[in-house]
């Protein structure tokens, strides 16, 4: 596709946004998480799916162990004037959507719909199957079938009628106890279409409200539907987006049978695809015609220039087809009036499955033949918050809208080794390691979502404001591969208790919270250090080093057991932990020789201190020694400069932290760095 034909229709303005995704209670928080590569995955809570019941290899089992879930959301029933009776029998997705809708209207500058004709405001939301809670509630209505099966089994076992009747009565009470008794609110509270209807009812909106189901494309399909209604003049403002909270056996067992779920940390557009990890949440945008928005004094976050929808036809119900996705993009760019070759950022569907990622990459590459601009950036927000299914397209749209609003290209999270299609010499797509100002290319982005049944959607965005100078923000994605957790207490028992509580918290925390806990404990230690360091409340100290929450839980438990045996004055260590007792000792430094691990890049030090410049050029910048391979970290010509460079950078970090050593020594090559520390040599 060398260009796009067709007449561009009216631009649609995104005038407001709202969301509630894992670890992201607002669009601003979602954007920060995207920029910093925070990942919200945690062990699947037993209250959502008990893996003791559903783990295994059978047809009724699932192998997923990790998900991104909402942990801090509660519905403010009083604020939204919802009765307790209605609240108890209604699926929580209704209330989640209602709350996000209210926040989106406020963000758009229309709290309570002031200044709008309610007859011309509509709601289109994406959802599949309502939510897991209404499906679980249906079990109550299946009691007669369960009762028949149990009675037959008791009769076959020869249990007397009187004993059987007593057992059945107790069983019925226990079986029905978790589920509210049906009321006149139950039916509407379990219907997917009533999610949008409830928003209309609450705000007295009369422009039309309904739910669309395009499986994992639902929320982006809702956006295209809303855009069409605005372009035709049927409505003046539309709330569009999606909501999904379904982590129950129907979906997780079903996806396991398809082999689509991840067994490892989720990777997208990667050479080693893992499958997706499930997520949940809600995302919405408030849309108006751009001309009307500006007339109302609203400054859009971004503009929607085009949208396209297609079906894979005979391509398959559960496997995406390249040509179907290409058709949706052709339609979107024909409407936009420009081609995909001018787009600088693609927010992809990116599920991390082998067939899904490959098909999508093939389609994106196919429509960019003849691209003259540098390769477009590519990413998927699913690597941050999981696959939120019916709410996934809205999350991707929000990410792209905010990227244009801030004129910043976000990092590609979850891609360790690029897919082979991205490594081709002429690939028109690229992954991004760190957030960066928008390149020398138009301020345009494309967003894709695909769903079961073969539906494809694509939305084309453009910045609402002219290009401006953006100050670079050095926010390396993903953080460190290992974190340090420091604790102190007045006694061994108190320290052991802290370690045990840390282990308990680590067992259920997300990767993002793993970093948060390390930072919070470091702050607390810093405060204690400023108070004097050796005061009684820091008499015993511990440091745990862990890569993952599971590893943290294990090492913290081991450290606690060791502490309860007693902490001698001085320093002791075990797997993943160090313990100290008594007054803090003096610090000595030992600089390593060539036997140290070789880091040819900035590594962890560059992440900790973004402004840190190496004291000497990176090995790849140095003149090639005869026969030296710059990628061979054993070759002396490569390894020695890298070791010295890292050691000097480490000294700069210690200086920044205020760590003053009493002495230093160097082993072999390390003698050079020791002489620098002593002032005998300059860096």
């Amino acid at each position: 596709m060398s260009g796009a034909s067709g007449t561009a229709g009216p631009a649609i303005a995104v005038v407001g946004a709202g969301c509630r995704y894992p670890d992201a209670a607002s669009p601003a928080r979602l954007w920060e998480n995207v920029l910093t590569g925070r990942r919200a995955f945690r062990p699947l809570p037993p209250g959502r799916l008990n893996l003791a019941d559903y783990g295994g290899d059978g047809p009724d089992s699932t192998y997923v162990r990790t998900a991104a879930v909402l942990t801090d959301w509660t519905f403010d029933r009083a604020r939204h004037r919802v009765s307790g009776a209605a609240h108890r029998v209604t699926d929580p997705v209704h209330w989640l959507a209602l709350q996000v809708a209210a926040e989106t209207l406020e963000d758009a500058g229309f709290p309570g719909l002031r200044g709008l004709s309610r007859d011309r405001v509509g709601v289109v939301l994406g959802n599949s199957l309502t939510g897991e809670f209404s499906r679980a509630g249906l079990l109550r209505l299946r009691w007669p079938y369960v009762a028949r099966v149990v009675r037959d089994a008791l009769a076959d076992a020869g249990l007397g009628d009187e004993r059987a009747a007593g057992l059945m009565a107790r069983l019925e009470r226990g079986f029905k106890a978790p589920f509210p008794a049906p009321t006149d609110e139950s039916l509407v509270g379990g219907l997917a279409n009533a999610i949008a209807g409830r928003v209309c009812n609450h705000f007295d909106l009369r422009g039309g409200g309904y739910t669309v189901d395009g499986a994992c494309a639902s929320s982006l399909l809702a956006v295209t539907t809303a855009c069409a209604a605005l372009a035709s003049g049927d409505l003046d403002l539309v709330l569009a987006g999606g909501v999904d909270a379904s982590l129950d056996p129907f979906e997780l067992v079903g996806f396991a049978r398809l082999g689509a779920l991840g067994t490892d940390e989720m990777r997208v557009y990667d050479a080693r695809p893992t499958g997706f990890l499930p997520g949940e949440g809600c995302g919405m945008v408030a849309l108006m015609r751009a001309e009307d928005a500006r007339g109302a004094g609203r400054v859009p976050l971004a503009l929607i220039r085009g949208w396209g929808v297609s079906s894979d036809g005979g391509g398959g119900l559960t496997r995406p087809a390249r040509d179907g996705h290409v058709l949706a993009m052709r339609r979107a760019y024909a409407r936009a009036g420009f081609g995909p070759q001018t787009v600088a950022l693609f927010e992809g569907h990116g599920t991390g499955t082998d067939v899904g990622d490959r098909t999508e990459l093939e389609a994106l590459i196919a429509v960019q033949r003849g691209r003259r601009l540098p390769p477009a950036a590519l990413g998927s927000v699913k690597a941050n918050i999981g696959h939120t299914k019916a709410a996934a397209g809205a999350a991707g749209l929000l990410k792209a809208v905010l990227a244009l609003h801030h004129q910043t290209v976000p990092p590609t999270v979850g891609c360790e080794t690029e897919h082979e299609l991205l490594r081709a010499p002429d690939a028109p797509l690229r992954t991004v390691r760190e957030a960066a100002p928008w390149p020398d290319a138009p301020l345009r982005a494309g967003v894709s979502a695909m769903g079961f049944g073969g539906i494809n959607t694509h939305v084309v965005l453009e910045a609402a404001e002219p290009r401006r100078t953006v100050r670079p923000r050095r926010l390396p994605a993903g953080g460190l591969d290992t974190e340090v957790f420091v604790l102190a207490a007045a006694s061994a028992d108190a320290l052991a208790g802290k370690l045990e509580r840390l282990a308990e918290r680590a067992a259920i925390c997300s990767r993002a919270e793993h970093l948060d806990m390390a930072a919070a404990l470091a702050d607390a230690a810093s405060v204690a250090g400023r108070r004097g360091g050796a005061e009684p409340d820091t008499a015993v100290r511990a440091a745990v080093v862990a890569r993952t929450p599971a590893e943290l839980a294990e090492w913290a438990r081991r450290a606690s057991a060791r502490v309860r045996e007693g902490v001698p004055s001085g320093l002791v260590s075990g797997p993943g932990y160090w313990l100290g007792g008594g007054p803090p000792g003096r610090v000595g430094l030992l600089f390593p020789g060539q036997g140290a691990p070789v880091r040819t890049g900035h590594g962890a030090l560059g992440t900790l201190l973004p402004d840190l410049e190496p004291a000497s050029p990176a090995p790849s910048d140095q003149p090639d020694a005869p026969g030296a391979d710059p990628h061979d970290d054993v070759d002396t010509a490569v390894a020695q400069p890298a070791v010295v460079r890292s050691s000097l950078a480490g000294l700069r970090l210690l200086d920044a932290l205020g760590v003053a050593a009493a002495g230093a020594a160097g082993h072999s090559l390390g003698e050079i760095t020791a002489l620098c520390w002593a002032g005998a040599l300059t860096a």
Side-chain angles (χ1 to χ4, degrees):
M1 182 176 179
S2 59
S5 60
T7 302
I12 305 300
V14 180
V15 295
C19 73
R20 178 73 63 155
Y21 287 107
D23 200 29
S26 67
R29 180 62 186 273
L30 179 68
W31 177 241
E32 284 297 318
N33 293 349
V34 165
L35 286 182
T36 55
R38 287 174 63 91
R39 312 190 76 178
F41 303 109
R42 69 179 70 244
L44 193 59
R48 301 296 299 277
L49 189 79
N50 192 340
L51 293 177
D53 296 333
Y54 291 98
D57 300 321
D60 303 318
S61 66
T62 184
Y63 53 82
V64 71
R65 296 291 180 272
T66 306
V69 299
L70 298 175
T71 59
D72 58 353
W73 174 70
T74 55
F75 179 64
D76 189 344
R77 188 165 60 82
R79 177 191 174 191
H80 296 284
R81 306 185 303 280
V82 173
S83 70
H87 184 259
R88 284 189 292 274
V89 298
T90 300
D91 194 292
V93 296
H94 286 237
W95 311 126
L96 180 58
L98 178 58
Q99 180 170 312
V100 172
E103 293 167 355
T104 303
L105 286 170
E106 290 177 5
D107 187 64
F110 297 109
L113 277 299
R114 288 196 298 269
L116 292 173
S117 168
R118 296 173 192 268
D119 292 350
R120 297 188 59 78
V121 178
V123 180
V124 186
L125 298 180
N127 178 262
S128 296
L129 302 169
T130 312
E132 68 182 80
F133 302 97
S134 56
R135 291 203 293 277
L138 294 176
L139 285 173
R140 180 186 177 102
L141 304 181
R142 297 297 183 184
W143 167 250
Y145 167 74
V146 174
R148 283 197 302 273
V149 172
V150 175
R151 285 194 193 98
D152 290 345
L154 294 177
D156 290 345
L159 196 68
D161 290 346
E162 185 175 344
R163 290 186 62 196
L167 179 62
M168 290 301 298
R170 291 196 302 274
L171 181 60
E172 181 176 3
R173 287 194 299 272
F175 185 85
K176 291 183 177 180
F179 313 115
T183 70
D184 58 345
E185 296 271 5
S186 298
L187 180 59
V188 70
L191 295 178
N193 186 61
I195 301 171
R198 194 172 296 277
V199 175
C200 291
N201 177 268
H202 181 81
F203 291 104
D204 190 26
L205 306 179
R206 297 182 290 270
Y210 53 93
T211 301
V212 297
D213 184 358
C216 300
S218 294
S219 54
L220 207 60
L221 181 64
V223 170
T224 67
T225 305
C227 289
L230 290 166
S232 67
D234 291 342
L235 296 171
D236 293 337
L237 184 143
V238 184
L239 285 175
V243 61
D244 194 297
S246 293
L247 298 176
D248 67 349
F250 177 70
E251 294 198 11
L252 297 185
V253 172
F255 281 123
R257 296 311 97 207
L258 288 169
L261 294 173
T263 57
D264 193 2
E265 190 164 284
M266 187 172 173
R267 294 190 289 270
V268 296
Y269 308 125
D270 195 274
R272 298 177 299 122
T274 54
F276 73 81
L277 295 175
E280 60 183 352
C282 180
M284 289 188 206
V285 289
L287 304 176
M288 300 177 70
R289 286 179 293 277
E291 183 178 355
D292 293 348
R294 292 192 174 99
R298 299 296 183 266
V299 178
L301 293 169
L303 302 175
I304 297 177
R305 289 293 188 181
W307 56 92
V309 178
S310 72
S311 173
D312 289 337
L317 290 174
T318 61
R319 294 172 62 88
R322 190 199 79 158
D323 291 347
H325 190 34
V326 166
L327 180 58
M329 287 191 284
R330 288 187 186 281
R331 289 172 172 168
Y333 290 99
R335 186 183 295 273
F338 52 78
Q341 304 92 336
T342 66
V343 171
L345 170 67
F346 286 98
E347 171 63 16
H349 189 57
T351 58
T353 61
D354 186 11
V355 65
D357 283 6
R358 177 175 290 277
T359 301
E360 185 180 7
L361 289 173
E362 289 175 347
L364 286 168
I365 291 170
V367 299
Q368 294 190 79
R369 292 192 178 95
R371 183 182 181 92
R372 293 184 177 87
L373 293 172
L378 175 68
S380 170
V381 74
K382 293 178 182 65
N384 300 94
I385 60 172
H387 189 351
T388 56
K389 304 180 292 299
L397 181 73
L398 287 173
K399 176 184 168 184
V401 163
L402 292 168
L404 286 167
H405 178 66
H406 294 286
Q407 299 188 11
T408 298
V409 175
T412 306
V413 177
C415 183
E416 296 176 1
T417 304
E418 288 183 332
H419 193 282
E420 62 179 358
L421 293 174
L422 297 175
R423 284 179 277 136
D426 57 348
L429 301 166
R430 64 187 174 99
T431 57
V432 181
R433 294 302 174 191
E434 295 180 2
W438 206 267
D440 186 14
L443 290 159
R444 293 170 180 166
V447 185
S448 295
M450 293 168 272
F452 278 2
I455 188 167
N456 307 283
T457 54
H458 191 78
V459 170
V460 184
L461 299 166
E462 195 166 42
E465 300 175 275
R467 183 182 292 274
R468 60 184 184 273
T469 301
V470 176
R471 192 173 184 178
R473 296 182 65 190
R474 186 102 186 270
L475 295 168
L480 302 175
D481 58 358
T482 302
E483 297 293 342
V484 180
F485 301 79
V486 292
L487 305 97
S491 68
D493 282 346
L495 181 60
K498 286 187 175 183
L499 285 164
E500 287 159 6
R501 289 191 293 276
L502 178 63
E504 291 171 2
R505 187 70 186 88
I508 60 172
C509 83
S510 69
R511 291 301 296 268
E513 290 169 340
H514 182 75
L515 171 62
D516 292 344
M517 287 194 295
L521 290 171
D523 285 344
S526 176
V527 170
R530 288 195 296 271
R531 289 202 313 262
E535 293 187 2
D537 61 351
T538 61
V540 287
R541 300 170 295 280
V544 181
V545 180
R547 292 171 297 177
T548 65
E551 196 172 79
L552 173 59
E554 176 66 18
W555 299 153
R557 279 192 291 267
R558 294 193 185 190
S560 174
R562 177 64 181 82
V563 168
R564 293 200 181 278
E565 297 173 3
V567 180
S569 180
L571 185 69
V572 296
S573 65
Y577 67 84
W578 282 258
L579 306 172
R586 293 184 298 168
V587 175
L589 303 178
L590 175 62
F591 296 103
Q594 187 173 339
V598 175
R599 302 286 185 264
T600 55
H602 280 87
L605 293 171
T607 303
L608 288 168
L609 295 177
D611 297 328
L612 181 69
E613 292 296 331
S616 60
S620 59
D621 299 330
Q622 302 210 22
D624 291 337
D629 180 355
H631 302 291
D632 182 0
D633 59 11
V634 177
D635 192 303
T636 299
V638 175
Q640 290 195 356
V643 171
V644 172
R645 173 173 167 265
S646 295
S647 296
L648 291 172
L651 273 178
R652 292 188 176 194
L653 175 60
L654 292 175
D655 287 343
L657 296 174
V659 176
H667 166 65
S668 186
L669 174 69
E671 295 174 15
I672 296 174
T673 321
L675 288 169
C676 289
W677 173 86
L681 292 177
T682 65

